[in-house]
Amino acid sequence: MRRKRLERAEGVRYLPVLGLRERVILPLGVPSKSPLWAARTISINAVKKALASDEEVLLLTVKKMSEDPAQTEFYEVGTVATILEWLETKNGEIKIIVEGYARAVVLGVQYTDETLVAKVRVMPEREVEDSPELEAERRELLAAFEEYYRRTERRIDHDLQTELINETHPGQLADLIAFLCSHRDPNNISLTYQQLQQVLNTLDPVERMHLVTSMVKDLLEIIEIERNLQDQVKKQVERTQREYYLSEKLKAIQKELGRGEAADTEELRERVRAAKMDPEAEEKALKEIDRLEQMPPMSAEAGVIRSYVEWLLALPWNVRTEAKIDLDRAAQMLDEDHYGLEKVKERILEYLAVMKLVDRVRGPILCFVGPPGVGKTSLGKSIARATGRNFVRMSLGGVRDEAEIRGHRRTYIGSIPGRIIQGIRDAKSKNPLFLLDEVDKMSMDFRGDPAAALLEVLDPEQNSTFRDHYLDVPFDLSEVMFITTANILPAIPEPLRDRMEIIELPGYTEYEKRNIAKYHLVPKQIRQHGLESVALNITDKAIDRIITEYTREAGVRNLEREITKICRKVARDLVLRQEKGQKPPKRLTVGVRNLERYLGPPRFLQTKAESMDNVGVVQGLVYTAVGGDVIAIEATLMPALGTQGQLMLTGQLGEVMRESAQTALSYIRSRAQELGIGNFEFRKWDIHIHVPEGAVPKEGPSAGITLATAIYSAISGRRVRKDIAMTGEITLRGNVLAIGGLKEKLLAAHRVGIREVIIPKDNLKDLEDIPAEIRKDMRIHPVQRMLQVLNLALLPPERPQREDTVGEPIADVSMPPHLPSSPPPGS
């Protein structure tokens, strides 16, 4: 019957359109199970028009709905259906039962007389010849469909099952299976109306069968995924229920034994009362324990509260280290660990004396400033040992988060106290020595400024009530002895620097390095390398050569590395002797002659004093980051190329040093008559000043008198003594002002063999820092005026004199060079 209708309906036809919302009717040739309702006027008119003619209607699924019927969009392929039954209700709606029997491609839709009429081409099913491949695909589709119905636990009507078995046409089989897989079930997944429309759009029967097979397999895959998820959820729920059951059972057992949660919280209360916390901290801890008691033990908040209470209990609220203070013993400890550093040791001993007189003293806040390797960190450990305090170290290098100091608030997941509170906990005492290392290496970003957070920590007036963000209760830090270390003082913010007592460690002198190596580093490395049986001896001259020619530093780290290298080579030689059956030497000496065998050729050239008296060459003293040094400043004259003489400066001089050279030249020019060079024509001569080692930047005003002496020597032709060096700042009036780094400068002069030095008189107070044996071996001339410098440094004029100089001796030249001279009248 369906075939006859298809033959009768082939070709182009005009059919009334009945729009379907989210529903697709496939041309199965069987009556639809559920009725269609025509409720809108346009749908009612379409049904009536179909009933008035041949009772056929075009079923089109709406793609895009519109209030205007003429603007409604439909899919391009629909189903031609026959109305089998119809019923009109009282409100005018019509219920119909239809039977779709053919596909139709829409050629156009017109809206006339409140009815949509479509021009369609009815598409007959193409006959397909049987083949083994087609039969295999048909079986594959049926197998997938059976598996789908088995997994979804659905039942199929007997009529449909019979038709399914008997259907041999691939296209009609695909339509039927697609229809059966589209039944909506809240417990199972099915094909959507969009997928049914895709099946309806596929006109080729073989392609349609392929499409439906793919869709059914996709449904099976989704069903498998959902089933696996359900199994996992079910197992998780069962495990949770089991754990809850066991937990409740365990609680009941513990309750019977008196070991339940109540007993646990009561134990916490007893520990809080025994900790002797501050009243506010104790009250806070007890409140948190009360909250903990009311919470389920498995809740996340319970773990947070327990961690907080444990942190409060871990702090040493009332624990202090008691030590018998003995100043002689403390001084002996400091001398054992460090050579020199007298100012630092004196400050520590003063603090210990105050501790012995006063029961409670606020911890001092010291800041050790100096170059790397001078012993700042190790000095903190020695102070802790001498004062009987526990030692804790916190490195601030690279810290840029304020929370590192003050902690995170408990609202954050995984929050913990800051490193100050963590250090106090690790120290296990309320009065440890807390070393804040590299305080000048902190930085700041969007997370805050850690230097600002340290202001409260390092302020004795505020740190008695330090409040960490995590604890949120005050903790007394006033008994903590804070020591900070830094390499560069200007890098420390001014407010933070104001809270600390600055103690500078400028670096060790060669004399101090020799003693450190002799009494500390060499015995230490001999022990660490197992060389006690060899009696290794490194001579003083060998140590001096290591210091000057193999290291260039302010501290002793590289010096210790070089000594370690010697010990390694000695250990290697010792082991080789033992392996060959030879007896090791009872004593092994490393001296200047065999030093290169262990360390190789020297890495640095030692500065040497001038070997002869020269014109325009003056030995100046400079201070560098690795200690003092001696440099020869050279001055020479050249005929001017232009109409005016110029001052040329070379040697990578800084702005301040260039200004010192200008000041020195201005002084020489302004006092030319008094200095005996009144006939010298400055405009005819260029003056060139050079400071050797041009690759090294040089800065500072302390070379002023050296530059003035070199200029005057070049102009007057008088030679400068080779055995004298000088340092001092000059003014336009010829005054000599104080300079810094005197200790390092004098030691550098002594190292190169210079025994006579000119220094500003205002620096006499700094001679206390010079070792006594160095002072006894040197002749030091304190001066106030530039004329004194010239009288001390220059040799008497030689004959014949240069034509462009007067050649008379400078005023007061007859005075002994080692005594200060009085300036001439009017100078």
Side-chain angles (χ1 to χ4, degrees):
M1 182 177 178
R2 180 185 178 191
R3 187 181 301 274
K4 293 180 180 179
R5 279 186 292 178
L6 278 172
E7 293 175 355
R8 188 172 65 248
E10 286 183 11
V12 177
R13 299 182 59 189
Y14 290 89
L15 295 173
V17 177
L18 181 60
L20 304 178
R21 290 189 185 181
E22 299 184 0
R23 185 173 179 182
V24 175
I25 303 295
L26 293 175
L28 301 176
V30 295
S32 59
K33 295 296 182 181
S34 58
L36 301 179
W37 285 88
R40 299 174 67 193
T41 302
I42 190 172
S43 300
I44 294 171
N45 292 338
V47 173
K48 289 181 177 180
K49 187 169 184 178
L51 294 173
S53 57
D54 54 2
E55 299 182 347
E56 291 187 351
V57 68
L58 179 65
L59 304 178
L60 282 180
T61 303
V62 176
K63 183 188 295 186
K64 184 177 180 182
M65 196 67 183
S66 175
E67 293 296 332
D68 185 2
Q71 300 298 325
T72 302
E73 295 182 14
F74 297 94
Y75 286 99
E76 293 77 10
V77 180
T79 301
V80 180
T82 302
I83 300 175
L84 302 179
E85 299 178 14
W86 63 279
L87 176 65
E88 187 173 359
T89 62
K90 294 180 180 180
N91 56 6
E93 296 179 358
I94 301 177
K95 181 174 71 171
I96 60 175
I97 300 295
V98 298
E99 178 186 337
Y101 67 87
R103 284 174 168 77
V105 178
V106 179
L107 303 177
V109 179
Q110 295 180 351
Y111 179 68
T112 56
D113 299 332
E114 296 186 358
T115 305
L116 284 174
V117 178
K119 179 183 179 181
V120 299
R121 181 184 299 277
V122 180
M123 307 300 295
E125 284 284 20
R126 180 174 64 85
E127 293 296 334
V128 180
E129 294 182 3
D130 292 335
S131 65
E133 293 81 3
L134 188 62
E135 180 62 23
E137 293 179 4
R138 177 177 173 277
R139 290 178 180 274
E140 183 182 5
L141 176 57
L142 287 173
F145 172 71
E146 289 175 2
E147 180 66 18
Y148 170 75
Y149 255 64
R150 186 185 65 80
R151 292 194 181 186
T152 56
E153 299 178 354
R154 294 183 180 182
R155 289 186 177 183
I156 188 171
D157 292 344
H158 179 72
D159 296 340
L160 287 176
Q161 187 175 8
T162 302
E163 185 173 351
L164 187 66
I165 295 173
N166 297 328
E167 184 63 63
T168 58
H169 192 278
Q172 295 172 11
L173 178 63
D175 288 342
L176 183 56
I177 290 179
F179 166 71
L180 293 175
C181 292
S182 65
H183 292 173
R184 296 187 179 180
D185 184 352
N187 298 323
N188 293 292
I189 189 169
S190 57
L191 296 180
T192 63
Y193 80 93
Q194 292 96 335
Q195 290 175 305
L196 289 182
Q197 182 64 46
Q198 190 177 355
V199 173
L200 187 63
N201 291 346
T202 306
L203 303 179
D204 185 87
V206 177
E207 291 183 5
R208 195 184 315 150
M209 186 168 64
H210 293 166
L211 176 63
V212 174
T213 303
S214 175
M215 289 181 176
V216 176
K217 287 184 177 180
D218 290 343
L219 291 177
L220 290 173
E221 186 175 351
I222 295 173
I223 291 172
E224 182 66 24
I225 293 173
E226 287 186 346
R227 183 160 298 176
N228 291 337
L229 292 175
Q230 288 175 359
D231 291 342
Q232 292 177 9
V233 172
K234 184 178 179 181
K235 290 179 182 178
Q236 181 66 32
V237 171
E238 290 176 353
R239 183 165 56 249
T240 304
Q241 291 176 346
R242 179 173 176 273
E243 290 176 356
Y244 177 75
Y245 170 75
L246 293 177
S247 175
E248 292 298 321
K249 194 170 183 178
L250 181 62
K251 286 173 62 178
I253 295 172
Q254 289 178 341
K255 187 174 182 181
E256 290 296 326
L257 297 175
R259 301 175 186 171
E261 188 71 24
D264 190 17
T265 53
E266 188 59 35
E267 180 187 352
L268 286 176
R269 288 191 181 92
E270 293 176 2
R271 290 174 59 192
V272 168
R273 296 188 184 98
K276 297 181 181 180
M277 300 180 182
D278 294 343
E280 183 178 347
E282 183 174 343
E283 180 183 357
K284 181 89 171 184
L286 292 176
K287 283 185 178 179
E288 294 296 324
I289 293 174
D290 292 340
R291 288 183 58 205
L292 177 63
E293 196 172 26
Q294 303 300 323
M295 288 185 177
M298 303 300 293
S299 66
E301 184 66 18
V304 173
I305 294 176
R306 180 176 290 275
S307 297
Y308 175 75
V309 175
E310 291 292 346
W311 265 106
L312 288 176
L313 291 172
L315 293 178
W317 295 94
N318 202 33
V319 180
R320 298 175 178 83
T321 53
E322 302 293 339
K324 294 181 180 180
I325 299 175
D326 187 340
L327 294 185
D328 292 336
R329 180 173 173 273
Q332 182 181 354
M333 287 183 182
L334 293 174
D335 290 337
E336 288 176 358
D337 295 340
H338 291 81
Y339 180 86
L341 305 177
E342 299 302 331
K343 287 186 178 180
V344 181
K345 295 177 181 177
E346 183 180 354
R347 176 67 182 87
I348 299 305
L349 295 176
E350 290 171 357
Y351 170 71
L352 293 178
V354 175
M355 283 183 61
K356 196 167 185 177
L357 296 176
V358 182
D359 293 336
R360 179 184 174 90
V361 58
R362 287 184 175 178
I365 299 172
L366 308 178
C367 180
F368 298 153
V369 179
V374 297
K376 300 183 294 296
T377 304
S378 59
L379 185 61
K381 295 181 181 178
S382 300
I383 295 172
R385 192 164 71 95
T387 56
R389 293 171 178 257
N390 295 335
F391 177 77
V392 59
R393 174 182 171 272
M394 171 182 172
S395 178
L396 296 174
V399 172
R400 59 181 65 202
D401 188 356
E402 177 202 2
E404 291 279 343
I405 307 298
R406 303 184 66 95
H408 296 84
R409 300 192 184 278
R410 280 197 292 157
T411 53
Y412 296 100
I413 297 176
S415 57
I416 57 174
R419 294 175 65 182
I420 297 294
I421 292 298
Q422 292 182 39
I424 297 295
R425 180 203 61 179
D426 297 340
K428 296 181 174 58
S429 65
K430 195 177 182 179
N431 60 338
L433 188 145
F434 208 121
L435 181 70
L436 301 174
D437 214 0
E438 309 293 352
V439 73
D440 58 329
K441 305 297 190 303
M442 291 185 296
S443 56
M444 61 179 294
D445 61 7
F446 64 93
R447 290 170 289 189
D449 184 4
L454 277 179
L455 295 179
E456 180 185 3
V457 176
L458 299 181
D459 191 341
E461 301 297 329
Q462 302 180 34
N463 62 10
S464 59
T465 57
F466 173 72
R467 193 177 286 265
D468 186 90
H469 285 160
Y470 179 82
L471 299 181
D472 200 26
V473 292
F475 188 87
D476 187 6
L477 297 177
S478 60
E479 298 182 43
V480 179
M481 183 176 184
F482 285 103
I483 293 180
T484 64
T485 68
N487 296 127
I488 304 173
L489 188 60
I492 305 175
E494 185 63 34
L496 186 59
R497 195 188 320 167
D498 183 61
R499 285 164 167 76
M500 301 183 292
E501 180 179 344
I502 307 297
I503 298 179
E504 294 191 8
L505 281 69
Y508 295 112
T509 63
E510 281 80 2
Y511 178 78
E512 290 172 337
K513 289 180 181 179
R514 181 204 305 162
N515 286 281
I516 291 172
K518 185 176 181 180
Y519 297 110
H520 295 274
L521 301 182
V522 173
K524 173 185 173 183
Q525 294 303 323
I526 288 176
R527 288 193 306 271
Q528 290 184 357
H529 289 78
L531 300 176
E532 294 92 340
S533 60
V534 183
L536 175 64
N537 176 43
I538 303 178
T539 64
D540 291 350
K541 291 186 178 180
I543 293 175
D544 290 341
R545 190 178 178 193
I546 295 173
I547 294 170
T548 56
E549 298 183 10
Y550 289 89
T551 63
R552 185 65 60 88
E553 59 177 344
V556 292
R557 283 181 182 164
N558 289 327
L559 176 59
E560 185 172 11
R561 292 190 184 102
E562 299 301 322
I563 295 173
T564 302
K565 188 182 295 185
I566 293 175
C567 292
R568 287 200 307 267
K569 291 184 180 296
V570 171
R572 177 172 175 249
D573 293 342
L574 180 63
V575 172
L576 290 176
R577 283 174 173 267
Q578 291 176 350
E579 291 177 352
K580 294 178 181 179
Q582 302 175 1
K583 291 184 178 181
K586 294 182 179 180
R587 182 177 182 84
L588 181 61
T589 300
V590 178
V592 176
R593 293 184 177 180
N594 62 346
L595 183 63
E596 293 190 17
R597 174 175 174 266
Y598 295 96
L599 300 181
R603 299 185 185 89
F604 305 100
L605 296 177
Q606 185 178 2
T607 304
K608 297 181 180 179
E610 292 294 318
S611 58
M612 59 182 297
D613 304 324
N614 291 310
V615 175
V617 180
V618 186
Q619 297 180 119
L621 302 177
V622 296
Y623 174 63
T624 67
V626 296
D629 202 357
V630 179
I631 58 173
I633 297 180
E634 304 170 347
T636 186
L637 301 179
M638 298 173 292
L641 297 178
T643 58
Q644 187 69 30
Q646 296 181 354
L647 175 63
M648 294 180 290
L649 303 171
T650 56
Q652 202 174 163
L653 309 184
E655 187 63 28
V656 176
M657 196 167 183
R658 288 177 172 273
E659 292 177 355
S660 295
Q662 293 284 355
T663 303
L665 178 60
S666 298
Y667 167 76
I668 298 296
R669 292 182 62 182
S670 65
R671 300 299 178 93
Q673 292 293 338
E674 298 177 22
L675 297 176
I677 53 174
N679 294 336
F680 181 76
E681 297 185 33
F682 287 89
R683 60 184 179 84
K684 292 184 178 181
W685 296 90
D686 288 339
I687 302 175
H688 185 180
I689 297 177
H690 177 68
V691 182
E693 297 188 22
V696 181
K698 306 167 187 71
E699 184 60 292
S702 63
I705 64 174
T706 313
L707 293 167
T709 304
I711 294 173
Y712 178 77
S713 173
I715 293 175
S716 65
R718 294 177 59 178
R719 298 181 181 274
V720 182
R721 293 170 53 190
K722 64 181 179 181
D723 59 347
I724 195 167
M726 62 187 69
T727 180
E729 182 180 355
I730 188 175
T731 68
L732 288 173
R733 295 178 297 169
N735 295 327
V736 180
L737 305 183
I739 46 83
L742 181 65
K743 177 182 177 181
E744 289 75 12
K745 293 178 179 179
L746 292 184
L747 290 171
H750 185 271
R751 184 184 68 237
V752 300
I754 296 176
R755 296 295 182 264
E756 209 165 331
V757 178
I758 301 174
I759 67 170
K761 188 175 182 179
D762 292 340
N763 284 107
L764 282 175
K765 63 183 187 302
D766 299 325
L767 294 178
E768 296 180 1
D769 299 334
I770 311 299
E773 56 272 20
I774 301 295
R775 291 201 307 267
K776 291 179 182 179
D777 198 30
M778 298 187 71
R779 194 174 187 184
I780 301 173
H781 302 283
V783 298
Q784 289 180 293
R785 304 283 297 177
M786 187 62 208
L787 286 176
Q788 297 173 266
V789 177
L790 297 177
N791 281 320
L792 290 167
L794 298 175
L795 294 173
E798 301 175 357
R799 305 295 182 184
Q801 299 180 25
R802 287 171 46 175
E803 296 179 358
D804 54 356
T805 59
V806 176
E808 288 111 2
I810 304 173
D812 304 327
V813 75
S814 61
M815 280 178 34
H818 60 280
L819 295 178
S821 77
S822 301
S827 63

